[in-house]
Amino acid sequence: MRDTLEITDELVRMQQAVDTAFAALGEWDGEERPDAPPSQWSAERRAEWEARWATYRRAVRDLGAHPVMRRAAAERIYGRMQSALRQAARRP
């Protein structure tokens, strides 16, 4: 019989970091998302986007590398664990 996997405060903080980084991908200094395609962005805007994207990727990678999440993947319950973790991260 498998042990249960616990959603710890550390995992919740990591999921919140992922959510925050994801939300930042859509923020543009108070302005609407630019109409121009990425190929037409200025170097400054491109650099800002790349930094936000790197932050998001790092947060997702760190969460996925956590021992509890790796165990969830090995036990084929990663999807259920991820859903439960997202719910826990969004609670006030």
Side-chain angles (χ1 to χ4, degrees), residues 2 4-5 9-10 12 18 21 37 44-47 51 53 55 58 70 83-84 86 89 91:
R2 296 180 182 161
T4 59
L5 297 176
D9 289 342
E10 178 185 20
V12 170
V18 169
E44 182 180 294
R45 180 164 276 174
R46 166 72 64 196
W53 180 245
T55 299
R58 190 171 31 260
R70 292 176 58 87
S83 293
R86 284 183 180 137
R91 286 188 201 130

Side-chain angles (χ1 to χ4, degrees), residues 20-49:
T20 300
F22 184 74
L25 291 175
E27 295 174 1
W28 293 95
D29 298 328
E31 64 183 74
E32 294 279 330
R33 192 167 187 160
D35 291 331
S39 63
Q40 296 176 4
W41 290 353
S42 67
E44 182 180 294
R45 180 164 276 174
R46 166 72 64 196
E48 180 184 341
W49 171 260

